[in-house]
Amino acid sequence: MPAIVVLGAQWGDEGKGKATDLLATTDPIDYVVRTSGGHNAGHTIVVNGEKYATHLLPSGILTPGATSVIANGVVVSPEALFRELDGLVARGVEVADLKVSANAHVIASYHATIDKVTERFLGKNQIGTTGRGIGPAYADKINRVGVRIADLFDEKILTQKVEAALDVRNHLLTKVYNRRAIEVDAVVEELLSYADRLQPMVCDTSLLLNRALDAGQTVLFEGAQATMLDVDHGTYPFVTSSNPVAGGVCVGAGVGPTRIDRVVGVIKAYTTRVGSGPFPTELFDEDGVQLQQLGGEIGVSTGRTRRCGWYDAVVARYASRVNGLTELFLTKLDILGAWERIPVCVAYEIDGQRVDEMPMTQTEFHHAKPVYEFFDGWQSDISGCRSFDDLPDNAQAYVRALEEMSGAKIWGVGVGPGREQTLVVPG
Ligand code: IMP
Ligand code: MG
């Protein structure tokens, strides 16, 4: 299977690395590619019982033999890039080969400054961003005042670009936000300091990946953030500033849609969200606290406690539709072992009407109340199960029921963080 997309079907943190692990067991993966977002992501990877977190780097960085690629659609903080690489090396990890697109946009320290200042200014309307400068970097890209990786290798051009980027920004910072202006020279110096180390990694990643596909190699496009955080298809404005949906992969990598073979949506057996914004199945009771604690629902990037709620099949169907999912991968099923009865949201009630599909407007989504169906729990620890048939009947029935209502076949199930705690669902 040459080109496979793995993406988040909810609000992120679905455990996308689990699907990658399962894929890697059957097919050696030649390339693992990030195509959108930046170091706002947080992937937790458990290898031989050791826990690693990556934010900007593709999870493939821990897979010897695979080449990791940061493609054009990613916003790259060179500081974060080398901090992560050095952190892995310091722990004795053998890091894989890494390639970075010459066209990827750069996050400099001023982007994070602006991210935090604008959030503070929004007050109670704040998005709850990760504060990493993602939004401001994409804003510069769209405003055509962004700095790209290739610019770091020409001091004169870099200086011009940074001047252009800071021109309006400094007026805003000083006159609106009452902050000190950012100095062009300091930014140029900061960015140049990474150039020598970065240069050998930089290439035309679109060419690289298309050639790999031509040669029949396996390329895994690893999603960051998720469908409901997509700037077009998510719960705008409470979204990230990129397109984590399947279509964004093609734009973010320079690979045509006809080349993609599989699109795997990773979805938790319940739902979580960090940051602000609507979340119909959110729980404010003991069950919510229990999901949070049993699931260890704490953000990998920001350390924030994640909001928790039951599985939302409307979200699942929507994700299946807007991404053209060929299959779903259900994670963290083991966490639900504590409940006698498990509610699943099958539709919404909006202003007295039952609604089966994602409503058209943001206002309707804010008014959506979950319509629940209840499933019998299995009330046991399933983390030791190694095949789908090992699962208790009620757990199998829960998976089959979700499959029935979620718009795509469930291909795999995760029952724990380890690479071996992954079950393939028979067809
Ligand atoms: P930003 O991406 O930092 O601009 O944050 C925008 C929204 O996306 C906030 O609600 C964040 O909490 C959320 N977000 C960004 N990255 C992730 C992620 O990797 N997992 C979950 N939520 C995320
Ligand atoms: Mg995460």
Side-chain angles (χ1 to χ4, degrees):
M1 267 299 169
I4 308 164
V5 174
V6 171
L7 54 80
Q10 296 162 317
W11 278 278
D13 309 309
E14 296 89 353
K16 295 176 269 285
K18 294 288 297 166
T20 308
D21 289 345
L22 182 53
L23 286 164
T25 59
T26 54
D27 231 337
I29 295 168
D30 299 299
Y31 291 88
V32 183
V33 190
R34 280 277 312 265
T35 62
S36 69
H39 60 306
N40 50 344
H43 285 303
T44 310
I45 308 153
V46 180
V47 188
N48 302 329
E50 283 278 306
K51 210 168 169 175
Y52 300 95
T54 65
H55 301 285
L56 172 62
L57 295 173
S59 70
I61 202 75
L62 295 175
T63 312
T67 299
S68 285
V69 177
I70 296 178
N72 59 278
V74 177
V75 281
V76 180
S77 156
E79 186 272 325
L81 179 79
F82 292 123
R83 182 159 35 83
E84 265 181 56
L85 276 177
D86 293 343
L88 292 173
V89 171
R91 287 179 65 183
V93 178
E94 189 194 331
V95 295
D97 200 16
L98 175 67
K99 299 287 177 209
V100 180
S101 167
N103 285 344
H105 279 251
V106 171
I107 300 186
S109 53
Y110 61 87
H111 290 113
T113 308
I114 290 159
D115 195 350
K116 288 175 197 144
V117 174
T118 35
E119 278 282 271
R120 213 165 302 144
F121 234 68
L122 281 170
K124 69 175 179 24
N125 294 325
Q126 70 179 30
I127 310 296
T129 71
T130 60
R132 303 283 199 271
I134 307 298
Y138 278 115
D140 281 359
K141 172 177 175 175
I142 302 303
N143 273 331
R144 294 164 294 193
V145 292
V147 172
R148 300 200 286 180
I149 293 290
D151 300 327
L152 302 193
F153 310 114
D154 185 327
E155 184 171 352
K156 199 165 143 228
I157 287 189
L158 180 64
T159 308
Q160 285 168 9
K161 299 232 168 165
V162 173
E163 269 166 4
L166 288 178
D167 185 28
V168 175
R169 281 285 162 70
N170 271 336
H171 284 294
L172 262 178
L173 276 174
T174 53
K175 290 172 192 151
V176 178
Y177 298 130
N178 267 321
R179 293 286 167 136
R180 248 183 304 150
I182 291 157
E183 283 174 34
V184 172
D185 290 349
V187 173
V188 170
E189 196 182 319
E190 169 200 331
L191 294 177
L192 282 178
S193 74
Y194 302 109
D196 286 347
R197 206 175 157 194
L198 204 52
Q199 191 142 38
M201 302 173 183
V202 177
C203 73
D204 180 341
T205 52
S206 165
L207 184 63
L208 177 77
L209 295 170
N210 278 281
R211 283 197 174 148
L213 291 171
D214 290 343
Q217 290 189 288
T218 299
V219 178
L220 181 92
F221 297 97
E222 177 178 70
Q225 291 76 51
T227 304
M228 298 304 284
L229 290 171
D230 185 277
V231 68
D232 284 81
H233 300 287
T235 51
Y236 190 89
F238 302 104
V239 293
T240 193
S241 299
S242 64
N243 287 112
V245 295
V249 168
C250 294
V251 179
V255 166
T258 50
R259 306 217 70 160
I260 308 292
D261 298 284
R262 292 170 69 181
V263 184
V264 180
V266 183
I267 195 157
K268 255 184 236 191
Y270 50 98
T271 312
T272 64
R273 174 166 202 172
V274 279
S276 323
F279 176 3
T281 63
E282 182 169 16
L283 293 165
F284 300 95
D285 57 7
E286 256 320 294
D287 284 334
V289 175
Q290 219 179 335
L291 279 174
Q292 197 273 319
Q293 287 175 352
L294 294 174
E297 297 297 349
I298 294 167
V300 180
S301 279
T302 56
R304 290 181 290 180
T305 299
R306 297 180 185 138
R307 302 155 64 191
C308 295
W310 300 118
Y311 189 87
D312 186 334
V314 184
V315 166
R317 284 196 290 276
Y318 180 68
S320 295
R321 168 159 56 96
V322 298
N323 294 299
L325 296 184
T326 55
E327 57 239 293
L328 281 163
F329 186 101
L330 189 71
T331 57
K332 290 193 150 178
L333 185 64
D334 53 308
I335 304 305
L336 297 181
W339 281 269
E340 194 182 330
R341 219 174 56 135
I342 305 166
V344 169
C345 169
V346 295
Y348 300 141
E349 191 198 295
I350 303 174
D351 305 325
Q353 299 274 349
R354 182 183 161 118
V355 175
D356 289 283
E357 294 300 329
M358 186 60 64
M360 186 179 75
T361 68
Q362 166 87 353
T363 309
E364 289 169 299
F365 193 62
H366 274 275
H367 292 181
K369 292 194 192 73
V371 175
Y372 285 119
E373 245 178 54
F374 297 88
F375 293 85
D376 291 329
W378 44 94
Q379 294 189 275
S380 59
D381 179 7
I382 58 169
S383 63
C385 293
R386 291 294 174 271
S387 85
F388 189 73
D389 293 333
D390 287 348
L391 290 176
D393 288 349
N394 286 350
Q396 292 191 24
Y398 181 77
V399 174
R400 293 298 188 192
L402 296 192
E403 178 170 69
E404 192 67 29
M405 60 179 90
S406 299
K409 176 186 159 6
I410 296 181
W411 155 67
V413 175
V415 294
R419 282 189 166 166
E420 67 295 346
Q421 290 169 300
T422 302
L423 324 175
V424 177
V425 182

